[in-house]
Amino acid sequence: MRSLRDDPDSITDLCGAGLSLTGFLGIADTPREAAPQLLADLADRGVDIRLITGDHPVTATAIAAELGVSVDADEVITGSEWNALSRKDQERVVCERVIFARMSPENKVQIVQTLERAGRVCAMVGDGATTRPRSGSRPWGSVWWRAAATRRTPSPTWC
């Protein structure tokens, strides 16, 4: 048995070795059951929702729809589009877009920092497994859970 880890180019040899397609496997990382209601409650309180993810724009849009957040195509931006913007255009776009797709961990931090420069108070919802460790010591998750636990009505400038 050969390992592709040892020789990633050996996939070419394997594909020509008489393999037959036997099926497809789909894996879904579904949102938690309470997530759609949580986002609806936040929206009812005037909290702007932003989905910042490394996922493909189509995947991110589908996840947003599953969470009850409907978006138009002009409310989605990719990491490469974000990187091509000037700082002034980033400050404009960050308040207009809802989905930030194909974002690197660095992009995610830049987006939050840009929102904060625009006067928005930011809090993170989610597992944070790919964002929080790379974003420094900012307590975004802690801020969110404190706000959620106290059921305070946040200022309309929250995002």
Side-chain angles (χ1 to χ4, degrees):
M1 180 189 244
R2 293 184 287 178
S3 171
L4 292 178
R5 288 183 196 162
D6 298 332
D7 183 12
D9 294 329
S10 66
I11 189 78
T12 305
D13 296 335
L14 289 174
C15 290
L19 296 177
S20 300
L21 177 65
T22 58
F24 292 99
L25 174 66
I27 300 173
D29 185 11
T30 57
R32 293 189 178 150
E33 189 176 314
Q37 186 60 52
L38 173 67
L39 294 179
D41 290 347
L42 289 170
D44 288 346
R45 293 168 190 234
V47 176
D48 293 334
I49 305 298
R50 299 289 186 270
L51 175 62
I52 308 171
T53 181
D55 289 335
H56 187 278
V58 172
T59 304
T61 302
I63 291 168
E66 191 174 344
L67 292 168
V69 178
S70 60
V71 295
D72 297 321
D74 63 340
E75 294 177 298
V76 180
I77 186 169
T78 64
S80 59
E81 292 168 333
W82 173 261
N83 290 333
L85 295 174
S86 68
R87 186 170 175 170
K88 183 174 181 159
D89 286 337
Q90 286 177 343
E91 289 172 359
R92 176 185 49 79
V93 165
V94 79
C95 294
E96 298 171 350
R97 305 297 172 99
V98 176
I99 295 179
F100 297 79
R102 286 288 191 223
M103 295 292 166
S104 68
E106 293 79 17
N107 287 146
K108 294 174 183 182
V109 173
Q110 290 169 357
I111 291 163
V112 171
Q113 290 171 340
T114 304
L115 284 162
E116 289 175 337
R117 277 195 310 274
R120 305 289 181 103
V121 175
C122 296
M124 183 180 77
V125 175
D127 62 15
T130 60
T131 304
R132 198 169 17 179
R134 292 182 182 96
S135 63
S137 61
R138 302 268 324 183
W140 295 324
S142 301
V143 170
W144 158 248
W145 291 116
R146 253 195 317 275
T150 60
R151 298 295 241 181
R152 293 183 193 157
T153 303
S155 158
T157 57
W158 277 55
C159 55

